[in-house]
Amino acid sequence: MSSASLFDAFKNYMAKNYGKSHGKMLIHTGVIGWILSAAAQVMAIVTNDKISYKQKMYLIPQELADAAVNIVSFYLITQTFKSVSTKAVNCGKLLNKPVREFLEKNNIKNVGKKTFDVLRDGKLPADLTEKFESFRNGVDFIGTTAGSILSCNIVTPIIRNEIATHKQKNHIAKMEEYNISVANPARNYFEKPSIQSFQAKAYSSSLKI
């Protein structure tokens, strides 16, 4: 297949799947961005010769856990905001002025109720259908953007810090356990990390948008 054909196929795919939902595109590209960022962080640790093997065995799972929290919280929150805002438009609770005036003028019943669908029940003419879809796309994008801001700047950092703090306590407890049984010379122990390294890891933000 030629490069022109591949480009046309990609263009058609994007238009079909994201042409009427900018919010959907924002969510999917955001998730892809988190995945690529996490992969870059892990690869940086793996290929860094200055980090010991034992340190890598701690840092890599930590980065993967951070990535999982980031991706899951981002997707769930932004998808929820997108769904709520789109539903509000579809059922008629939130409408642009021309569509609302048309529905009122034609005495369309049940506008704003959960079972109502503007495109199905509103009997809109072609020009108003186009305006409605454009308005819905804008609301969809705004709702998704608001969800992504809330996720990336408030919810995700709080969750990540709570998880990191919990992990820090567990690692300190294990470290103290190793120190208690250190009298046995036949046993191999992990190198003892400093408290400062735990604190730095617990409260650092390695993945950012």
Side-chain angles (χ1 to χ4, degrees), residues 165-179 193-195 198-199:
T165 301
H166 178 72
K167 287 185 176 180
Q168 176 187 352
K169 292 178 180 179
N170 288 339
H171 281 291
I172 291 176
K174 289 181 180 179
M175 182 181 65
E176 293 174 347
E177 179 183 349
Y178 291 149
N179 289 338
S194 65
I195 296 299
F198 279 119
Q199 292 173 336

Side-chain angles (χ1 to χ4, degrees), residues 183-189:
N184 183 2
R187 186 175 177 182
N188 294 322
Y189 299 94

Side-chain angles (χ1 to χ4, degrees), residues 52-80:
S52 69
Y53 177 79
K54 292 179 181 179
Q55 289 174 319
K56 289 179 181 181
M57 290 301 98
Y58 166 76
L59 292 175
I60 291 175
Q62 180 75 3
E63 293 295 341
L64 293 176
D66 284 349
V69 172
N70 292 331
I71 293 169
V72 171
S73 63
F74 174 83
Y75 182 83
L76 290 179
I77 294 173
T78 52
Q79 182 62 45
T80 299

Side-chain angles (χ1 to χ4, degrees), residues 20-174:
K20 294 184 179 181
S21 182
H22 293 166
K24 180 181 177 181
M25 181 177 66
L26 179 62
I27 292 175
H28 289 181
T29 54
V31 170
I32 293 172
W34 280 118
I35 293 173
L36 293 177
S37 178
Q41 292 286 346
V42 172
M43 286 301 299
I45 295 172
V46 171
T47 58
N48 192 334
D49 295 334
K50 296 181 179 179
I51 301 177
S52 69
Y53 177 79
K54 292 179 181 179
Q55 289 174 319
K56 289 179 181 181
M57 290 301 98
Y58 166 76
L59 292 175
I60 291 175
Q62 180 75 3
E63 293 295 341
L64 293 176
D66 284 349
V69 172
N70 292 331
I71 293 169
V72 171
S73 63
F74 174 83
Y75 182 83
L76 290 179
I77 294 173
T78 52
Q79 182 62 45
T80 299
F81 271 68
K82 176 185 181 302
S83 298
V84 170
S85 59
T86 302
K87 179 62 178 177
V89 176
N90 285 337
C91 72
K93 288 185 178 180
L94 183 62
L95 291 172
N96 51 338
K97 186 177 179 181
V99 174
R100 182 171 295 281
E101 289 179 348
F102 174 85
L103 295 177
E104 292 175 351
K105 181 180 178 179
N106 290 271
N107 197 29
I108 303 297
K109 304 296 184 181
N110 301 320
V111 177
K113 293 186 178 181
K114 293 182 178 180
T115 56
F116 185 81
D117 186 280
V118 174
L119 291 179
R120 183 191 64 203
D121 306 320
K123 302 176 182 179
L124 301 179
D127 61 325
L128 284 183
T129 297
E130 184 176 348
K131 290 181 180 179
F132 171 80
E133 290 180 343
S134 177
F135 174 77
R136 181 176 61 184
N137 199 8
V139 172
D140 177 77
F141 181 78
I142 292 172
T144 305
T145 302
S148 65
I149 292 173
L150 176 64
S151 170
C152 297
N153 295 284
I154 299 176
V155 177
T156 298
I158 291 175
I159 295 176
R160 186 171 56 229
N161 286 342
E162 287 296 325
I163 293 175
T165 301
H166 178 72
K167 287 185 176 180
Q168 176 187 352
K169 292 178 180 179
N170 288 339
H171 281 291
I172 291 176
K174 289 181 180 179

